[in-house]
């Protein structure tokens, strides 16, 4: 592969109306993350790509920032050709340019390798898949499929060839892709092997098909917490205020059940423990409601594209009786986690009057959480 700077243009300026939904399809959630984020991460992670420019539509700045964080964006035009031309102008003096559609979220590194390697001998390289289906025209006549291919992206170009092709293209004519522009100007275009992972998301049913390509990873983790019972304190358990002559003592509201659950959820994504995120030395958390701790842990899992599959909580104490409050606790925990109540198991037990819980000195809780996280597309 020749030396020189390589810039990738991630084209995401379309309205994406055919896929439905309230936002353009490139910003719709796919496996818990915006669709565009999958392709962006694949491009950024490739060692041969020096920079990724995201070409967005006018007014899509906030959506791009929410989906990708702080990245370099270029405002596209009314057509795909205009959007690529604007991205190309912002690419600077790169030797090679990749042009990739955000609607193709899963981008194997091997395809990028093949495209870039082909540019050593050609002006352009495009990944393709041979047509396997029988083709017919509007009259029902069979069209020979030998030698026909479905074109995918990323398409790779020597930058100078693509710049010249755009400059020469008639302003009143639209191109379905950039490779045909280079070919019309006499440039050499090489076909390389594409990948089924690069199938384009266009219609609503394509979202489900793309989701099926994601390999979900199941993780489980545990949490445990203890707090002392003292006079003059309120007793919060499982997000519910329970009438009792004593309450739990701690820096926050000392909800031992929610603390154990928080640690279990943080454990599934290896994100430390509750003290890491809400230090007891920080005065802002004095007397704080523990539901915000649990909601924070759940939000971190969702930010990873994950989902909470099930939680199991055991409260250990002699008093008060948990049974009368169990349903309210389950409902409250489910509401905090934004899951259905039948994904929340809550039990209570005693230590047969043994130990500190048996003597009524405190309450303990242990929790298990099971989550699913999206892994690499398969």
């Amino acid at each position: 592969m020749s030396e020189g700077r390589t810039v990738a243009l991630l084209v995401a300026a379309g309205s994406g109306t055919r896929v439905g939904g309230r936002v353009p399809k490139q910003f719709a959630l796919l496996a818990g993350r915006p669709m565009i984020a999958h392709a962006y991460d694949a491009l950024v992670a490739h060692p041969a790509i020096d920079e990724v420019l995201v070409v967005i539509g006018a007014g899509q700045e906030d959506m791009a920032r929410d989906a990708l964080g702080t990245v370099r964006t270029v405002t596209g035009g009314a057509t795909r050709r205009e959007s690529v031309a604007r991205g190309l102008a912002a690419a600077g003096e790169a030797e090679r340019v990749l042009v990739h559609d955000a609607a193709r979220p899963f981008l194997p590194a091997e395809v990028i390798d093949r495209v870039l390697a082909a540019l050593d001998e050609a002006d352009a390289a495009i990944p393709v898949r041979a047509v396997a289906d029988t083709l017919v025209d509007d009259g029902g006549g069979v069209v020979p499929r030998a030698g026909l291919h479905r074109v995918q992206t990323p398409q790779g170009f020597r930058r100078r060839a693509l710049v010249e092709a755009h400059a020469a293209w008639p302003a009143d004519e639209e191109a379905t892709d950039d490779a045909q522009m280079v070919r019309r100007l006499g440039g050499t275009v090489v076909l390389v092997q594409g990948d089924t992972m690069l199938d384009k998301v266009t219609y609503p049913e394509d979202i489900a098909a793309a989701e099926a390509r994601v390999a979900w990873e199941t993780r489980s983790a545990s949490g445990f917490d203890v707090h002392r019972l003292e006079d003059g304190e309120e007793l919060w358990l499982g997000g519910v205020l329970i009438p009792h002559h004593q309450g739990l003592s701690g820096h926050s509201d000392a909800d031992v059940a929610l603390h154990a659950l928080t640690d279990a959820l943080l454990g599934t994504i290896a994100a430390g423990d509750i003290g890491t995120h809400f230090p007891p030395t920080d005065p802002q958390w004095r007397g704080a409601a523990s539901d915000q701790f649990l909601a924070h842990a759940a939000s971190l899992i969702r930010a990873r594209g994950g989902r909470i599959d099930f939680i199991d909580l055991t409260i250990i104490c002699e008093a008060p009786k948990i049974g009368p409050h169990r349903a309210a606790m389950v409902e409250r925990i489910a509401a905090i986690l934004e899951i259905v109540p039948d994904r929340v198991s809550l039990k209570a037990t005693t230590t047969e009057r043994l130990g500190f819980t048996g003597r009524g000195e405190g309450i303990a809780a242990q929790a298990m959480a099971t989550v699913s996280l999206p892994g690499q597309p398969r």
Side-chain angles (χ1 to χ4, degrees), residues 26 39-40 89 100-101 126 132 188 198 212 217 220 229 233 237 266 278 313 322 347 367:
Q26 61 268 33
Y40 179 81
H100 184 62
D101 296 333
I126 58 175
T188 54
L198 284 165
E217 174 187 357
S220 294
L229 282 166
E233 300 283 354
L237 274 178
L266 291 173
F278 305 97
L313 173 67
I322 301 301
K347 308 182 295 295

Side-chain angles (χ1 to χ4, degrees), residues 138-176:
D138 288 341
V142 175
V143 177
R145 66 190 180 198
L148 296 181
H149 300 83
R150 293 188 295 117
V151 176
Q152 301 176 320
T153 67
Q155 297 185 358
F157 304 90
R158 293 181 180 175
R159 187 189 67 84
R160 185 178 300 278
L162 186 56
V163 168
E164 292 174 353
H166 271 269
W169 193 263
D172 60 349
E173 183 179 348
E174 283 310 315
T176 58

